[in-house]
PDB file of all heavy atoms in Angstrom:
ATOM      1  N   ARG A  45     -68.147 118.508  93.772  1.00  0.00           N
ATOM      2  CA  ARG A  45     -69.115 118.135  92.733  1.00  0.00           C
ATOM      3  C   ARG A  45     -69.366 116.714  92.689  1.00  0.00           C
ATOM      4  O   ARG A  45     -68.424 115.858  92.846  1.00  0.00           O
ATOM      5  CB  ARG A  45     -68.547 118.598  91.304  1.00  0.00           C
ATOM      6  CG  ARG A  45     -68.398 120.065  91.186  1.00  0.00           C
ATOM      7  CD  ARG A  45     -67.110 120.676  91.596  1.00  0.00           C
ATOM      8  NE  ARG A  45     -66.024 120.177  90.806  1.00  0.00           N
ATOM      9  CZ  ARG A  45     -64.776 120.215  91.227  1.00  0.00           C
ATOM     10  NH1 ARG A  45     -64.443 120.625  92.365  1.00  0.00           N
ATOM     11  NH2 ARG A  45     -63.766 119.824  90.332  1.00  0.00           N
ATOM     12  N   ASN A  46     -70.586 116.265  92.429  1.00  0.00           N
ATOM     13  CA  ASN A  46     -70.914 114.805  92.457  1.00  0.00           C
ATOM     14  C   ASN A  46     -72.211 114.593  91.702  1.00  0.00           C
ATOM     15  O   ASN A  46     -72.866 115.572  91.324  1.00  0.00           O
ATOM     16  CB  ASN A  46     -70.996 114.260  93.863  1.00  0.00           C
ATOM     17  CG  ASN A  46     -70.644 112.807  94.005  1.00  0.00           C
ATOM     18  OD1 ASN A  46     -70.742 112.062  93.059  1.00  0.00           O
ATOM     19  ND2 ASN A  46     -70.337 112.419  95.178  1.00  0.00           N
ATOM     20  N   SER A  47     -72.587 113.319  91.555  1.00  0.00           N
ATOM     21  CA  SER A  47     -73.927 112.947  90.998  1.00  0.00           C
ATOM     22  C   SER A  47     -74.559 111.897  91.872  1.00  0.00           C
ATOM     23  O   SER A  47     -73.857 111.019  92.467  1.00  0.00           O
ATOM     24  CB  SER A  47     -73.601 112.362  89.557  1.00  0.00           C
ATOM     25  OG  SER A  47     -73.139 113.300  88.696  1.00  0.00           O
ATOM     26  N   TYR A  48     -75.854 111.920  91.989  1.00  0.00           N
ATOM     27  CA  TYR A  48     -76.628 110.978  92.762  1.00  0.00           C
ATOM     28  C   TYR A  48     -77.598 110.230  91.831  1.00  0.00           C
ATOM     29  O   TYR A  48     -78.622 110.730  91.332  1.00  0.00           O
ATOM     30  CB  TYR A  48     -77.401 111.713  93.768  1.00  0.00           C
ATOM     31  CG  TYR A  48     -78.218 110.731  94.730  1.00  0.00           C
ATOM     32  CD1 TYR A  48     -77.604 110.097  95.806  1.00  0.00           C
ATOM     33  CD2 TYR A  48     -79.510 110.573  94.651  1.00  0.00           C
ATOM     34  CE1 TYR A  48     -78.239 109.209  96.603  1.00  0.00           C
ATOM     35  CE2 TYR A  48     -80.317 109.709  95.370  1.00  0.00           C
ATOM     36  CZ  TYR A  48     -79.661 109.114  96.438  1.00  0.00           C
ATOM     37  OH  TYR A  48     -80.382 108.201  97.249  1.00  0.00           O
ATOM     38  N   LEU A  49     -77.149 109.028  91.305  1.00  0.00           N
ATOM     39  CA  LEU A  49     -77.814 108.320  90.340  1.00  0.00           C
ATOM     40  C   LEU A  49     -78.194 106.824  90.908  1.00  0.00           C
ATOM     41  O   LEU A  49     -77.353 106.193  91.485  1.00  0.00           O
ATOM     42  CB  LEU A  49     -77.047 108.170  89.106  1.00  0.00           C
ATOM     43  CG  LEU A  49     -76.531 109.566  88.438  1.00  0.00           C
ATOM     44  CD1 LEU A  49     -75.554 109.312  87.262  1.00  0.00           C
ATOM     45  CD2 LEU A  49     -77.711 110.421  88.066  1.00  0.00           C
ATOM     46  N   ASN A  50     -79.379 106.469  90.611  1.00  0.00           N
ATOM     47  CA  ASN A  50     -79.930 105.091  91.037  1.00  0.00           C
ATOM     48  C   ASN A  50     -79.704 104.866  92.499  1.00  0.00           C
ATOM     49  O   ASN A  50     -79.310 103.835  92.959  1.00  0.00           O
ATOM     50  CB  ASN A  50     -79.117 103.982  90.177  1.00  0.00           C
ATOM     51  CG  ASN A  50     -79.336 104.151  88.733  1.00  0.00           C
ATOM     52  OD1 ASN A  50     -80.493 104.323  88.248  1.00  0.00           O
ATOM     53  ND2 ASN A  50     -78.227 103.983  87.943  1.00  0.00           N
ATOM     54  N   GLY A  51     -79.942 105.943  93.315  1.00  0.00           N
ATOM     55  CA  GLY A  51     -79.838 105.861  94.737  1.00  0.00           C
ATOM     56  C   GLY A  51     -78.363 105.898  95.341  1.00  0.00           C
ATOM     57  O   GLY A  51     -78.329 105.540  96.583  1.00  0.00           O
ATOM     58  N   ILE A  52     -77.448 106.115  94.484  1.00  0.00           N
ATOM     59  CA  ILE A  52     -76.049 106.033  94.925  1.00  0.00           C
ATOM     60  C   ILE A  52     -75.254 107.283  94.588  1.00  0.00           C
ATOM     61  O   ILE A  52     -75.408 107.752  93.453  1.00  0.00           O
ATOM     62  CB  ILE A  52     -75.373 104.789  94.358  1.00  0.00           C
ATOM     63  CG1 ILE A  52     -76.050 103.508  94.761  1.00  0.00           C
ATOM     64  CG2 ILE A  52     -73.824 104.701  94.845  1.00  0.00           C
ATOM     65  CD1 ILE A  52     -75.532 102.300  94.090  1.00  0.00           C
ATOM     66  N   TRP A  53     -74.462 107.772  95.545  1.00  0.00           N
ATOM     67  CA  TRP A  53     -73.588 108.903  95.216  1.00  0.00           C
ATOM     68  C   TRP A  53     -72.426 108.384  94.477  1.00  0.00           C
ATOM     69  O   TRP A  53     -71.853 107.272  94.784  1.00  0.00           O
ATOM     70  CB  TRP A  53     -73.154 109.695  96.481  1.00  0.00           C
ATOM     71  CG  TRP A  53     -74.190 110.532  97.084  1.00  0.00           C
ATOM     72  CD1 TRP A  53     -74.930 110.286  98.150  1.00  0.00           C
ATOM     73  CD2 TRP A  53     -74.602 111.873  96.559  1.00  0.00           C
ATOM     74  NE1 TRP A  53     -75.809 111.364  98.419  1.00  0.00           N
ATOM     75  CE2 TRP A  53     -75.610 112.312  97.487  1.00  0.00           C
ATOM     76  CE3 TRP A  53     -74.174 112.651  95.539  1.00  0.00           C
ATOM     77  CZ2 TRP A  53     -76.244 113.552  97.260  1.00  0.00           C
ATOM     78  CZ3 TRP A  53     -74.818 113.841  95.333  1.00  0.00           C
ATOM     79  CH2 TRP A  53     -75.839 114.175  96.205  1.00  0.00           C
ATOM     80  N   GLY A  54     -71.866 109.082  93.517  1.00  0.00           N
ATOM     81  CA  GLY A  54     -70.672 108.728  92.837  1.00  0.00           C
ATOM     82  C   GLY A  54     -69.415 109.182  93.471  1.00  0.00           C
ATOM     83  O   GLY A  54     -69.454 109.620  94.605  1.00  0.00           O
ATOM     84  N   ASN A  55     -68.323 109.202  92.709  1.00  0.00           N
ATOM     85  CA  ASN A  55     -67.007 109.721  93.207  1.00  0.00           C
ATOM     86  C   ASN A  55     -67.007 111.300  93.203  1.00  0.00           C
ATOM     87  O   ASN A  55     -67.321 111.896  92.200  1.00  0.00           O
ATOM     88  CB  ASN A  55     -65.948 109.193  92.363  1.00  0.00           C
ATOM     89  CG  ASN A  55     -65.744 107.758  92.398  1.00  0.00           C
ATOM     90  OD1 ASN A  55     -66.020 107.118  93.545  1.00  0.00           O
ATOM     91  ND2 ASN A  55     -65.357 107.044  91.338  1.00  0.00           N
ATOM     92  N   GLU A  56     -66.655 111.807  94.312  1.00  0.00           N
ATOM     93  CA  GLU A  56     -66.553 113.296  94.466  1.00  0.00           C
ATOM     94  C   GLU A  56     -65.441 113.825  93.535  1.00  0.00           C
ATOM     95  O   GLU A  56     -64.315 113.279  93.434  1.00  0.00           O
ATOM     96  CB  GLU A  56     -66.387 113.722  95.897  1.00  0.00           C
ATOM     97  CG  GLU A  56     -67.588 113.550  96.743  1.00  0.00           C
ATOM     98  CD  GLU A  56     -67.426 114.150  98.160  1.00  0.00           C
ATOM     99  OE1 GLU A  56     -66.271 114.463  98.444  1.00  0.00           O
ATOM    100  OE2 GLU A  56     -68.403 114.349  98.911  1.00  0.00           O
ATOM    101  N   GLU A  57     -65.662 115.039  93.022  1.00  0.00           N
ATOM    102  CA  GLU A  57     -64.583 115.791  92.388  1.00  0.00           C
ATOM    103  C   GLU A  57     -64.380 117.062  93.244  1.00  0.00           C
ATOM    104  O   GLU A  57     -65.359 117.807  93.577  1.00  0.00           O
ATOM    105  CB  GLU A  57     -64.905 116.192  91.033  1.00  0.00           C
ATOM    106  CG  GLU A  57     -65.084 115.036  90.085  1.00  0.00           C
ATOM    107  CD  GLU A  57     -65.418 115.351  88.593  1.00  0.00           C
ATOM    108  OE1 GLU A  57     -65.261 116.531  88.326  1.00  0.00           O
ATOM    109  OE2 GLU A  57     -65.961 114.528  87.882  1.00  0.00           O
ATOM    110  N   ARG A  58     -63.186 117.270  93.823  1.00  0.00           N
ATOM    111  CA  ARG A  58     -62.904 118.344  94.836  1.00  0.00           C
ATOM    112  C   ARG A  58     -61.833 119.237  94.397  1.00  0.00           C
ATOM    113  O   ARG A  58     -61.848 120.387  94.872  1.00  0.00           O
ATOM    114  CB  ARG A  58     -62.624 117.719  96.213  1.00  0.00           C
ATOM    115  CG  ARG A  58     -63.628 116.889  96.740  1.00  0.00           C
ATOM    116  CD  ARG A  58     -63.234 116.271  98.086  1.00  0.00           C
ATOM    117  NE  ARG A  58     -63.140 117.307  99.077  1.00  0.00           N
ATOM    118  CZ  ARG A  58     -64.094 117.574  99.948  1.00  0.00           C
ATOM    119  NH1 ARG A  58     -65.236 116.873  99.881  1.00  0.00           N
ATOM    120  NH2 ARG A  58     -64.063 118.518 100.778  1.00  0.00           N
ATOM    121  N   HIS A  59     -60.976 118.881  93.498  1.00  0.00           N
ATOM    122  CA  HIS A  59     -59.760 119.700  93.246  1.00  0.00           C
ATOM    123  C   HIS A  59     -60.086 121.048  92.477  1.00  0.00           C
ATOM    124  O   HIS A  59     -60.659 120.896  91.377  1.00  0.00           O
ATOM    125  CB  HIS A  59     -58.667 118.939  92.561  1.00  0.00           C
ATOM    126  CG  HIS A  59     -57.580 119.734  92.135  1.00  0.00           C
ATOM    127  ND1 HIS A  59     -56.616 120.168  93.080  1.00  0.00           N
ATOM    128  CD2 HIS A  59     -57.137 120.282  90.964  1.00  0.00           C
ATOM    129  CE1 HIS A  59     -55.589 120.876  92.476  1.00  0.00           C
ATOM    130  NE2 HIS A  59     -55.861 120.932  91.197  1.00  0.00           N
ATOM    131  N   LEU A  60     -59.850 122.064  93.070  1.00  0.00           N
ATOM    132  CA  LEU A  60     -59.898 123.335  92.365  1.00  0.00           C
ATOM    133  C   LEU A  60     -58.816 124.317  92.872  1.00  0.00           C
ATOM    134  O   LEU A  60     -58.319 124.198  93.956  1.00  0.00           O
ATOM    135  CB  LEU A  60     -61.208 124.090  92.663  1.00  0.00           C
ATOM    136  CG  LEU A  60     -62.516 123.487  91.874  1.00  0.00           C
ATOM    137  CD1 LEU A  60     -63.729 124.197  92.355  1.00  0.00           C
ATOM    138  CD2 LEU A  60     -62.360 123.693  90.450  1.00  0.00           C
ATOM    139  N   THR A  61     -58.392 125.207  91.897  1.00  0.00           N
ATOM    140  CA  THR A  61     -57.295 126.147  92.326  1.00  0.00           C
ATOM    141  C   THR A  61     -57.784 127.282  93.205  1.00  0.00           C
ATOM    142  O   THR A  61     -57.024 127.949  93.882  1.00  0.00           O
ATOM    143  CB  THR A  61     -56.572 126.659  91.101  1.00  0.00           C
ATOM    144  OG1 THR A  61     -57.558 127.244  90.219  1.00  0.00           O
ATOM    145  CG2 THR A  61     -55.878 125.430  90.391  1.00  0.00           C
ATOM    146  N   PHE A  62     -59.164 127.614  93.054  1.00  0.00           N
ATOM    147  CA  PHE A  62     -59.680 128.708  93.810  1.00  0.00           C
ATOM    148  C   PHE A  62     -61.176 128.627  93.980  1.00  0.00           C
ATOM    149  O   PHE A  62     -61.789 127.932  93.211  1.00  0.00           O
ATOM    150  CB  PHE A  62     -59.240 130.090  93.080  1.00  0.00           C
ATOM    151  CG  PHE A  62     -60.122 130.364  91.923  1.00  0.00           C
ATOM    152  CD1 PHE A  62     -61.003 131.339  91.947  1.00  0.00           C
ATOM    153  CD2 PHE A  62     -59.977 129.554  90.716  1.00  0.00           C
ATOM    154  CE1 PHE A  62     -61.735 131.634  90.774  1.00  0.00           C
ATOM    155  CE2 PHE A  62     -60.681 129.844  89.614  1.00  0.00           C
ATOM    156  CZ  PHE A  62     -61.579 130.903  89.692  1.00  0.00           C
ATOM    157  N   ASN A  63     -61.696 129.376  94.977  1.00  0.00           N
ATOM    158  CA  ASN A  63     -63.143 129.497  95.126  1.00  0.00           C
ATOM    159  C   ASN A  63     -63.530 130.908  94.830  1.00  0.00           C
ATOM    160  O   ASN A  63     -63.205 131.860  95.693  1.00  0.00           O
ATOM    161  CB  ASN A  63     -63.535 129.093  96.518  1.00  0.00           C
ATOM    162  CG  ASN A  63     -65.043 129.154  96.772  1.00  0.00           C
ATOM    163  OD1 ASN A  63     -65.812 129.634  95.956  1.00  0.00           O
ATOM    164  ND2 ASN A  63     -65.474 128.638  97.831  1.00  0.00           N
ATOM    165  N   PRO A  64     -64.175 131.227  93.679  1.00  0.00           N
ATOM    166  CA  PRO A  64     -64.534 132.665  93.400  1.00  0.00           C
ATOM    167  C   PRO A  64     -65.611 133.264  94.107  1.00  0.00           C
ATOM    168  O   PRO A  64     -65.865 134.481  94.021  1.00  0.00           O
ATOM    169  CB  PRO A  64     -64.771 132.560  91.876  1.00  0.00           C
ATOM    170  CG  PRO A  64     -65.389 131.142  91.705  1.00  0.00           C
ATOM    171  CD  PRO A  64     -64.665 130.231  92.740  1.00  0.00           C
ATOM    172  N   PHE A  65     -66.420 132.438  94.891  1.00  0.00           N
ATOM    173  CA  PHE A  65     -67.519 132.927  95.685  1.00  0.00           C
ATOM    174  C   PHE A  65     -67.038 133.487  97.038  1.00  0.00           C
ATOM    175  O   PHE A  65     -66.649 132.744  97.917  1.00  0.00           O
ATOM    176  CB  PHE A  65     -68.571 131.858  95.853  1.00  0.00           C
ATOM    177  CG  PHE A  65     -69.269 131.391  94.597  1.00  0.00           C
ATOM    178  CD1 PHE A  65     -68.683 130.379  93.854  1.00  0.00           C
ATOM    179  CD2 PHE A  65     -70.332 132.018  94.053  1.00  0.00           C
ATOM    180  CE1 PHE A  65     -69.218 129.974  92.676  1.00  0.00           C
ATOM    181  CE2 PHE A  65     -70.925 131.566  92.839  1.00  0.00           C
ATOM    182  CZ  PHE A  65     -70.362 130.564  92.243  1.00  0.00           C
ATOM    183  N   GLN A  66     -67.061 134.808  97.091  1.00  0.00           N
ATOM    184  CA  GLN A  66     -66.508 135.476  98.379  1.00  0.00           C
ATOM    185  C   GLN A  66     -67.605 136.176  99.131  1.00  0.00           C
ATOM    186  O   GLN A  66     -68.403 136.918  98.455  1.00  0.00           O
ATOM    187  CB  GLN A  66     -65.345 136.460  97.920  1.00  0.00           C
ATOM    188  CG  GLN A  66     -64.221 135.749  97.143  1.00  0.00           C
ATOM    189  CD  GLN A  66     -63.564 134.777  98.039  1.00  0.00           C
ATOM    190  OE1 GLN A  66     -63.281 134.932  99.229  1.00  0.00           O
ATOM    191  NE2 GLN A  66     -63.117 133.606  97.406  1.00  0.00           N
ATOM    192  N   PRO A  67     -67.646 135.933 100.473  1.00  0.00           N
ATOM    193  CA  PRO A  67     -68.676 136.687 101.242  1.00  0.00           C
ATOM    194  C   PRO A  67     -68.602 138.169 101.009  1.00  0.00           C
ATOM    195  O   PRO A  67     -67.570 138.767 101.031  1.00  0.00           O
ATOM    196  CB  PRO A  67     -68.336 136.321 102.628  1.00  0.00           C
ATOM    197  CG  PRO A  67     -67.601 135.007 102.545  1.00  0.00           C
ATOM    198  CD  PRO A  67     -66.840 135.059 101.190  1.00  0.00           C
ATOM    199  N   GLY A  68     -69.774 138.779 100.892  1.00  0.00           N
ATOM    200  CA  GLY A  68     -69.908 140.230 100.726  1.00  0.00           C
ATOM    201  C   GLY A  68     -69.790 140.756  99.353  1.00  0.00           C
ATOM    202  O   GLY A  68     -69.869 141.951  99.162  1.00  0.00           O
ATOM    203  N   LEU A  69     -69.569 139.840  98.327  1.00  0.00           N
ATOM    204  CA  LEU A  69     -69.380 140.343  96.981  1.00  0.00           C
ATOM    205  C   LEU A  69     -70.399 139.739  96.006  1.00  0.00           C
ATOM    206  O   LEU A  69     -70.937 138.585  96.236  1.00  0.00           O
ATOM    207  CB  LEU A  69     -67.910 139.901  96.561  1.00  0.00           C
ATOM    208  CG  LEU A  69     -66.811 140.562  97.209  1.00  0.00           C
ATOM    209  CD1 LEU A  69     -65.485 139.938  96.661  1.00  0.00           C
ATOM    210  CD2 LEU A  69     -66.816 142.033  97.072  1.00  0.00           C
ATOM    211  N   PRO A  70     -70.772 140.438  94.961  1.00  0.00           N
ATOM    212  CA  PRO A  70     -71.675 139.913  93.935  1.00  0.00           C
ATOM    213  C   PRO A  70     -70.992 138.928  93.035  1.00  0.00           C
ATOM    214  O   PRO A  70     -69.714 138.870  92.976  1.00  0.00           O
ATOM    215  CB  PRO A  70     -72.092 141.205  93.155  1.00  0.00           C
ATOM    216  CG  PRO A  70     -71.001 142.138  93.343  1.00  0.00           C
ATOM    217  CD  PRO A  70     -70.373 141.878  94.675  1.00  0.00           C
ATOM    218  N   PHE A  71     -71.700 138.137  92.281  1.00  0.00           N
ATOM    219  CA  PHE A  71     -71.198 137.179  91.344  1.00  0.00           C
ATOM    220  C   PHE A  71     -72.011 136.991  90.151  1.00  0.00           C
ATOM    221  O   PHE A  71     -73.307 137.280  90.172  1.00  0.00           O
ATOM    222  CB  PHE A  71     -70.930 135.811  92.016  1.00  0.00           C
ATOM    223  CG  PHE A  71     -72.182 135.093  92.393  1.00  0.00           C
ATOM    224  CD1 PHE A  71     -72.878 134.277  91.430  1.00  0.00           C
ATOM    225  CD2 PHE A  71     -72.710 135.198  93.680  1.00  0.00           C
ATOM    226  CE1 PHE A  71     -74.025 133.643  91.769  1.00  0.00           C
ATOM    227  CE2 PHE A  71     -73.888 134.591  94.043  1.00  0.00           C
ATOM    228  CZ  PHE A  71     -74.565 133.753  93.029  1.00  0.00           C
ATOM    229  N   GLU A  72     -71.482 136.444  89.092  1.00  0.00           N
ATOM    230  CA  GLU A  72     -72.207 136.037  87.919  1.00  0.00           C
ATOM    231  C   GLU A  72     -71.717 134.637  87.523  1.00  0.00           C
ATOM    232  O   GLU A  72     -70.568 134.511  87.140  1.00  0.00           O
ATOM    233  CB  GLU A  72     -72.092 136.971  86.704  1.00  0.00           C
ATOM    234  CG  GLU A  72     -72.916 136.487  85.449  1.00  0.00           C
ATOM    235  CD  GLU A  72     -72.898 137.456  84.287  1.00  0.00           C
ATOM    236  OE1 GLU A  72     -73.604 138.408  84.273  1.00  0.00           O
ATOM    237  OE2 GLU A  72     -72.099 137.128  83.360  1.00  0.00           O
ATOM    238  N   LEU A  73     -72.650 133.662  87.600  1.00  0.00           N
ATOM    239  CA  LEU A  73     -72.316 132.264  87.348  1.00  0.00           C
ATOM    240  C   LEU A  73     -72.869 131.930  85.967  1.00  0.00           C
ATOM    241  O   LEU A  73     -74.080 131.984  85.816  1.00  0.00           O
ATOM    242  CB  LEU A  73     -72.809 131.346  88.451  1.00  0.00           C
ATOM    243  CG  LEU A  73     -72.691 129.793  88.167  1.00  0.00           C
ATOM    244  CD1 LEU A  73     -71.243 129.416  88.063  1.00  0.00           C
ATOM    245  CD2 LEU A  73     -73.442 129.055  89.255  1.00  0.00           C
ATOM    246  N   SER A  74     -72.077 131.508  85.019  1.00  0.00           N
ATOM    247  CA  SER A  74     -72.582 131.146  83.687  1.00  0.00           C
ATOM    248  C   SER A  74     -72.296 129.555  83.585  1.00  0.00           C
ATOM    249  O   SER A  74     -71.214 129.078  83.860  1.00  0.00           O
ATOM    250  CB  SER A  74     -71.771 131.869  82.592  1.00  0.00           C
ATOM    251  OG  SER A  74     -71.973 133.203  82.697  1.00  0.00           O
ATOM    252  N   ILE A  75     -73.317 128.906  83.098  1.00  0.00           N
ATOM    253  CA  ILE A  75     -73.234 127.424  82.993  1.00  0.00           C
ATOM    254  C   ILE A  75     -73.533 127.107  81.528  1.00  0.00           C
ATOM    255  O   ILE A  75     -74.595 127.450  80.893  1.00  0.00           O
ATOM    256  CB  ILE A  75     -74.364 126.734  83.880  1.00  0.00           C
ATOM    257  CG1 ILE A  75     -74.101 127.197  85.296  1.00  0.00           C
ATOM    258  CG2 ILE A  75     -74.236 125.224  83.723  1.00  0.00           C
ATOM    259  CD1 ILE A  75     -75.382 127.473  86.032  1.00  0.00           C
ATOM    260  N   HIS A  76     -72.541 126.471  80.864  1.00  0.00           N
ATOM    261  CA  HIS A  76     -72.684 126.080  79.521  1.00  0.00           C
ATOM    262  C   HIS A  76     -72.755 124.568  79.395  1.00  0.00           C
ATOM    263  O   HIS A  76     -71.941 123.846  80.035  1.00  0.00           O
ATOM    264  CB  HIS A  76     -71.449 126.541  78.706  1.00  0.00           C
ATOM    265  CG  HIS A  76     -71.630 126.121  77.229  1.00  0.00           C
ATOM    266  ND1 HIS A  76     -72.366 126.839  76.241  1.00  0.00           N
ATOM    267  CD2 HIS A  76     -70.991 125.126  76.548  1.00  0.00           C
ATOM    268  CE1 HIS A  76     -72.249 126.254  75.078  1.00  0.00           C
ATOM    269  NE2 HIS A  76     -71.417 125.215  75.268  1.00  0.00           N
ATOM    270  N   CYS A  77     -73.753 124.039  78.721  1.00  0.00           N
ATOM    271  CA  CYS A  77     -73.934 122.615  78.556  1.00  0.00           C
ATOM    272  C   CYS A  77     -73.786 122.132  77.093  1.00  0.00           C
ATOM    273  O   CYS A  77     -74.286 122.725  76.181  1.00  0.00           O
ATOM    274  CB  CYS A  77     -75.310 122.175  79.044  1.00  0.00           C
ATOM    275  SG  CYS A  77     -75.633 120.406  78.981  1.00  0.00           S
ATOM    276  N   ASP A  78     -72.973 121.082  76.902  1.00  0.00           N
ATOM    277  CA  ASP A  78     -72.867 120.470  75.516  1.00  0.00           C
ATOM    278  C   ASP A  78     -72.953 119.014  75.619  1.00  0.00           C
ATOM    279  O   ASP A  78     -73.394 118.419  76.687  1.00  0.00           O
ATOM    280  CB  ASP A  78     -71.548 120.950  74.863  1.00  0.00           C
ATOM    281  CG  ASP A  78     -70.328 120.492  75.572  1.00  0.00           C
ATOM    282  OD1 ASP A  78     -70.342 119.519  76.351  1.00  0.00           O
ATOM    283  OD2 ASP A  78     -69.239 121.182  75.426  1.00  0.00           O
ATOM    284  N   ASN A  79     -72.689 118.256  74.649  1.00  0.00           N
ATOM    285  CA  ASN A  79     -72.904 116.769  74.577  1.00  0.00           C
ATOM    286  C   ASN A  79     -71.967 116.098  75.558  1.00  0.00           C
ATOM    287  O   ASN A  79     -72.206 114.992  76.020  1.00  0.00           O
ATOM    288  CB  ASN A  79     -72.568 116.235  73.223  1.00  0.00           C
ATOM    289  CG  ASN A  79     -73.923 116.440  72.283  1.00  0.00           C
ATOM    290  OD1 ASN A  79     -74.963 116.320  72.802  1.00  0.00           O
ATOM    291  ND2 ASN A  79     -73.673 116.710  70.945  1.00  0.00           N
TER     292      ASN A  79
END
């Protein structure tokens, strides 16, 4: 995960305990945004 702002990439965030997206399987991704 990262942001590209003012022509520059920021610091990457990589640490996760698992990757739920698995080949051959369906998924539902829900994105919630707040302040």
Side-chain angles (χ1 to χ4, degrees):
R45 294 89 67 201
N46 207 341
S47 298
Y48 183 80
L49 306 174
N50 299 316
I52 301 173
W53 285 104
N55 295 325
E56 286 187 348
E57 298 181 16
R58 302 179 68 94
H59 177 71
L60 282 177
T61 57
F62 75 111
N63 181 351
F65 294 90
Q66 300 299 321
L69 295 178
F71 67 85
E72 180 176 282
L73 172 65
S74 298
I75 305 140
H76 178 81
C77 181
D78 60 30
N79 279 325

